[in-house]
């Protein structure tokens, strides 16, 4: 038992040192010793092992005063790769990501909203194979696959409990995709994957308490508290799209009345637009808004109001230092940002307004894929 405890501690220390080098590079051995409280001898031994395994390298020498120069350490990007997959209602995005979080290969494929579960998975497998072969990525260096998708996800067991956008229910996605591809697979809600990317190299990189709000075909949020994803009891924390804002309002797909999603999702915006004009796509609504057509201005003004109300509620509940707005509505219609800011001035409580940063994601359509790939690395990497 004592030997097993020692082996476990050695593995934990090794993981800790690698994580510090990855997140704080370039960094010296002495700085790692100070951060971890381990002895310089232990740090040197661990770094040597990581170097032999191809994870770290020395990048440059720096002087810290009197005495010999210290070597700075960095991680090697090509030591391993992971595949990130985003499955959405009308699109599948796939990227191969190296160990330093760089997307080295990318492919986007349309998805027919009527296609079934098995058809979508076969399409994912086909595109992953094509991407690996086309970019000559060594298969033996691919650690696994991370998948982000909309809906209520049992990430521990790899099961899609329900996805209204994809029309999937109780699908054992991780197991099924693993059997198809031969790689280990982890899955999670798309926004939880995206906030991992924001925390790793996006707007929330230096934040311990942040909320990401996604506004598009669906409405949701992901929450980081004290540096960790807050999941709630069933991984459904952040499902703000189903918070009721008007008990006499519109009927939602979930069966309730007055959910937030029925006011600001793309589908609800299109449905309201069709009461005035023959509208087929959300882009037509946005074009009408830019042309200053009154009906489009009124609908998008209402949308901005409800976005601000949702932000106000999130701020009061979680008091984050930062809220990141993302999603198709924000990315396709950046003109709405000014209206959201004005509404926040009206509806956000004054003490919170003074401290919080409301910012916009800069990851674009790569956010979910990048976060899924990073999470696959975090979950599937087993150091020896």
């Amino acid at each position: 038992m004592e030997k097993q405890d020692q082996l476990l501690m050695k593995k934990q220390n090794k993981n800790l040192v690698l994580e510090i080098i990855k997140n704080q590079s370039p960094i010296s051995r002495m700085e790692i010793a100070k951060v971890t409280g381990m002895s310089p001898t232990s740090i040197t031994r661990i770094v040597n092992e990581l170097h032999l395994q191809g994870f770290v390298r020395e990048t440059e020498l720096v002087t810290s005063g009197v005495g010999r120069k210290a070597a700075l350490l960095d991680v090697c990007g090509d030591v391993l790769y992971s595949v990130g997959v985003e499955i959405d209602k009308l699109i599948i995005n796939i990227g191969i990501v190296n160990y330093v979080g760089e997307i080295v290969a990318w492919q986007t494929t349309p998805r027919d909203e009527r296609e079934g579960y098995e058809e979508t998975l076969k399409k994912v497998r086909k595109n992953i194979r094509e991407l690996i072969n086309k970019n000559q990525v060594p298969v033996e260096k691919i650690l696994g696959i991370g998948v982000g998708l909309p809906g209520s996800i049992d990430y521990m067991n790899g099961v899609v409990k329900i996805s209204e956008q994809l029309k999937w229910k109780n699908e054992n996605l991780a197991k099924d995709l693993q059997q198809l591809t031969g790689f280990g697979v982890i899955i999670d809600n798309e926004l939880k994957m995206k906030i991992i990317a924001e925390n790793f190299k996006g707007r929330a990189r230096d934040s311990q308490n942040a909320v990401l709000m996604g506004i598009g075909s669906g409405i949701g949020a992901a929450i980081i508290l004290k540096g960790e994803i807050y999941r709630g009891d069933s991984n459904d924390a952040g499902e703000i799209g189903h918070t009721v804002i008007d008990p006499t309002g519109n009927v939602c797909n979930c069966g309730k009345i007055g959910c937030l999603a029925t006011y600001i999702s793309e589908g609800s915006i299109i449905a309201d637009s069709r009461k005035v004009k023959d509208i087929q796509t959300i882009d037509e609504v946005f074009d009408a808004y830019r042309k200053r057509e009154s009906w489009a201005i009124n609908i998008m003004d209402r949308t901005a109001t409800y976005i601000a109300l949702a932000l106000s509620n999130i701020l009061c509940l979680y008091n984050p230092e930062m809220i990141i707005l993302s999603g198709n509505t924000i990315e396709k219609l950046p003109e709405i940002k000014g209206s959201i800011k004005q509404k926040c001035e009206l509806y956000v409580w004054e003490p919170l307004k003074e401290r919080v940063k409301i910012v916009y994601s800069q990851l674009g359509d790569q956010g979910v894929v990048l976060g899924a790939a990073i999470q696959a690395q975090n979950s599937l990497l087993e150091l020896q």
Side-chain angles (χ1 to χ4, degrees), residues 158-169:
V159 175
V160 181
K161 293 187 287 187
I162 187 165
S163 175
E164 293 171 8
Q165 287 97 318
L166 302 178
K167 299 180 175 63
W168 294 354
K169 187 174 183 180

Side-chain angles (χ1 to χ4, degrees), residues 290-306:
R290 294 187 183 98
K291 292 174 184 176
R292 310 306 294 166
E293 294 184 30
S294 59
W295 64 269
I297 291 173
N298 289 335
I299 288 173
M300 295 315 299
D301 181 74
R302 186 200 67 179
T303 300
T305 296
Y306 282 117

Side-chain angles (χ1 to χ4, degrees), residues 235-250:
N235 199 36
D236 291 321
E239 288 293 341
I240 59 169
H242 294 293
T243 55
V244 176
I245 57 171
D246 183 357
T248 63
N250 302 325

Side-chain angles (χ1 to χ4, degrees), residues 324-336:
I324 307 164
L325 295 181
S326 70
N328 276 342
T329 300
I330 301 296
E331 290 159 15
K332 288 185 176 181
L333 191 69
E335 296 92 334
I336 201 175

Side-chain angles (χ1 to χ4, degrees), residues 195 203-204 207 209-214 221-222 307-308 310-316 318-326 344 348 355-361:
I195 203 170
R203 301 304 298 266
S207 177
N209 300 286
V211 175
L212 172 74
M213 182 174 172
I307 290 172
L311 291 175
S312 175
N313 292 338
I314 289 170
L315 285 167
C316 288
Y318 296 105
N319 190 24
E321 57 199 89
M322 177 182 294
I323 291 184
I324 307 164
L325 295 181
S326 70
C344 285
V348 174
R355 297 181 62 86
V356 71
K357 296 177 184 175
I358 298 176
V359 299
Y360 295 86
S361 176

Side-chain angles (χ1 to χ4, degrees), residues 76-87:
C76 301
D78 61 355
V79 65
L80 58 82
Y81 301 87
S82 58
V83 180
V85 179
E86 176 185 12
I87 304 175

